[in-house]
Amino acid sequence: MENQKLSSLQLELLNVYSFQPDEKDLLAIRKLLADYFSDKLIGKVEQAVSEKNITEEDLDRWLNE
């Protein structure tokens, strides 16, 4: 089996978990991460829509395929 190095994000999360946060803090951390990556995805979709002249109808059609 090949050794894989941990990413910077994985190492940072290990540091957070080493302090044994309580359940409330874990939920807050999960929400922060979900919000961050959701915002990042929405930004990329908006950029692609703008650059490639994608319409709302295109997006709706793709969602229903």
Side-chain angles (χ1 to χ4, degrees), residues 53-64:
N53 297 318
I54 298 170
T55 66
E56 285 288 328
E57 292 80 22
D58 293 330
L59 294 173
D60 288 339
R61 189 178 68 252
W62 294 337
L63 286 172
N64 294 312

Side-chain angles (χ1 to χ4, degrees), residues 33-47:
L33 289 170
D35 290 347
Y36 170 79
F37 286 110
S38 174
D39 289 346
K40 190 171 179 180
L41 175 62
I42 289 168
K44 287 185 180 279
V45 169
E46 288 173 346
Q47 180 182 2

Side-chain angles (χ1 to χ4, degrees):
M1 189 161 121
E2 184 178 319
N3 286 339
Q4 295 182 353
K5 293 185 178 188
L6 297 176
S7 70
S8 297
L9 175 60
Q10 289 169 320
L11 290 171
E12 192 63 34
L13 289 172
L14 285 173
N15 284 331
V16 169
Y17 287 109
S18 70
F19 295 108
Q20 298 188 4
D22 62 23
E23 191 64 28
K24 182 179 176 183
D25 289 336
L26 288 176
L27 290 173
I29 292 167
R30 286 185 190 133
K31 182 171 178 358
L32 283 170
L33 289 170
D35 290 347
Y36 170 79
F37 286 110
S38 174
D39 289 346
K40 190 171 179 180
L41 175 62
I42 289 168
K44 287 185 180 279
V45 169
E46 288 173 346
Q47 180 182 2
V49 165
S50 174
E51 289 175 358
K52 300 182 187 297
N53 297 318
I54 298 170
T55 66
E56 285 288 328
E57 292 80 22
D58 293 330
L59 294 173
D60 288 339
R61 189 178 68 252
W62 294 337
L63 286 172
N64 294 312
E65 287 183 350

